[in-house]
Amino acid sequence: MSADLTVVAVCGSLRDESHTRTACRHVLDAAAAAGAETALIDLREYDLPVFDADERDAGDAPTLRRRLREADAIVLGSPMYHGSYSSPLKNALDYCGFDEFEGTTVGLLGVSGGSFPITTLEHLRSVGRALDAWVIPHQAAVPNASSQFEDGAFVDDGMAERVATLGRRAVQYANIEPDPHSFESEENVGAED
C-alpha cells in the first residue's frame, strides 16, 4: 500500500483514561504498519457545541469536516453508553453529512465496560449506511475493557489481533468504489447541505 493513503480514527470518548482511545491507537498502529498515514481525531481537542442545524459551522466543525473529507478511510470508535454510541460522537457526526462519508470506507470499533457492545456497532453501522459510506464487514468489539489492557497494550492476543485486523482492513478497502447507493442514504435528505 501507498503512504499517500490516510486512515483517521475518531475517538468518541472524552475520558482521560479512555479505553476507546487506546483501542483506536491500536487500530491506527495496524493501519500504519499496512502502509497508511494515520491520525487520531480526539474529540476532546475540538470545540463542538451541541449541534444546531442553523449553526453548521459552529466552533471547530469546519476543521472536523475537512479532516474527515481528506481521509481515505475513517474508523469510528465509541464506548457503549446505554446500549448505543456516545453523545460526543453523535454530536460530531451530526455536523457531518454526505460530503464527509459518501463512498468512504468506514470501520467500526465498539468498547464496553461490560458485555459486548453489539448495539453500539449496529447503531454506527446504520449511521454509515444512512450516509452512504462503505462500512467494513469486519468490526471490532472490546468487551470488559478495564481488564483488556495493561500499560496500554492488550493482554489477550486474540483481542489484539481482532482490533489490528480492523486497521488492516481500513487500508485494504480504503479505495473501494461501492455501488449502488444504500436505501437508507436515498431516504436521508437531512444529511445533505
Side-chain angles (χ1 to χ4, degrees), residues 137-193:
H138 176 89
Q139 57 191 16
V142 181
N144 304 309
S146 62
S147 64
Q148 295 291 345
F149 301 99
E150 187 173 299
D151 298 324
F154 279 101
V155 297
D156 178 80
D157 291 340
M159 183 64 65
E161 178 58 24
R162 183 156 188 82
V163 170
T165 297
L166 181 60
R168 290 191 298 273
R169 294 291 183 267
V171 174
Q172 179 181 1
Y173 295 113
N175 291 320
I176 197 167
E177 295 183 23
D179 189 47
H181 295 290
S182 69
F183 170 77
E184 293 91 337
S185 71
E186 299 289 331
E187 299 298 315
N188 189 18
V189 295
E192 296 179 19
D193 288 334

Side-chain angles (χ1 to χ4, degrees), residues 117-155:
I118 298 303
T119 52
T120 300
L121 297 168
E122 289 173 351
H123 294 175
L124 287 171
R125 188 168 295 277
S126 293
V127 170
R129 282 194 311 263
L131 294 174
D132 208 28
W134 190 80
V135 184
I136 299 170
H138 176 89
Q139 57 191 16
V142 181
N144 304 309
S146 62
S147 64
Q148 295 291 345
F149 301 99
E150 187 173 299
D151 298 324
F154 279 101
V155 297

Side-chain angles (χ1 to χ4, degrees), residues 8-185:
V8 300
V10 181
C11 178
S13 173
L14 302 182
R15 290 183 60 227
D16 288 337
E17 300 298 321
S18 168
H19 298 303
T20 303
R21 191 172 304 105
T22 300
C24 281
R25 287 189 178 115
H26 282 275
V27 170
L28 293 174
D29 288 346
E37 291 186 28
T38 64
L40 177 68
I41 295 179
D42 187 340
L43 294 179
R44 296 177 306 170
E45 299 170 0
Y46 286 76
D47 172 29
L48 295 173
V50 173
F51 179 70
D52 175 347
D54 290 331
E55 299 290 334
R56 294 190 57 81
D57 290 334
D60 294 326
T63 302
L64 173 68
R65 288 195 303 265
R66 178 187 51 79
R67 290 193 69 194
L68 293 174
R69 278 192 311 271
E70 292 173 352
D72 297 293
I74 300 167
V75 174
L76 300 176
S78 180
M80 182 170 73
Y81 289 165
H82 303 303
S84 192
Y85 58 101
S86 70
S87 59
L89 183 56
K90 169 71 168 131
N91 192 52
L93 292 172
D94 284 345
Y95 278 103
C96 301
F98 286 115
D99 289 344
E100 292 73 35
F101 284 94
E102 185 173 24
T104 301
T105 298
V106 172
L108 305 178
L109 170 68
V111 179
S112 172
S115 63
F116 276 83
I118 298 303
T119 52
T120 300
L121 297 168
E122 289 173 351
H123 294 175
L124 287 171
R125 188 168 295 277
S126 293
V127 170
R129 282 194 311 263
L131 294 174
D132 208 28
W134 190 80
V135 184
I136 299 170
H138 176 89
Q139 57 191 16
V142 181
N144 304 309
S146 62
S147 64
Q148 295 291 345
F149 301 99
E150 187 173 299
D151 298 324
F154 279 101
V155 297
D156 178 80
D157 291 340
M159 183 64 65
E161 178 58 24
R162 183 156 188 82
V163 170
T165 297
L166 181 60
R168 290 191 298 273
R169 294 291 183 267
V171 174
Q172 179 181 1
Y173 295 113
N175 291 320
I176 197 167
E177 295 183 23
D179 189 47
H181 295 290
S182 69
F183 170 77
E184 293 91 337
S185 71

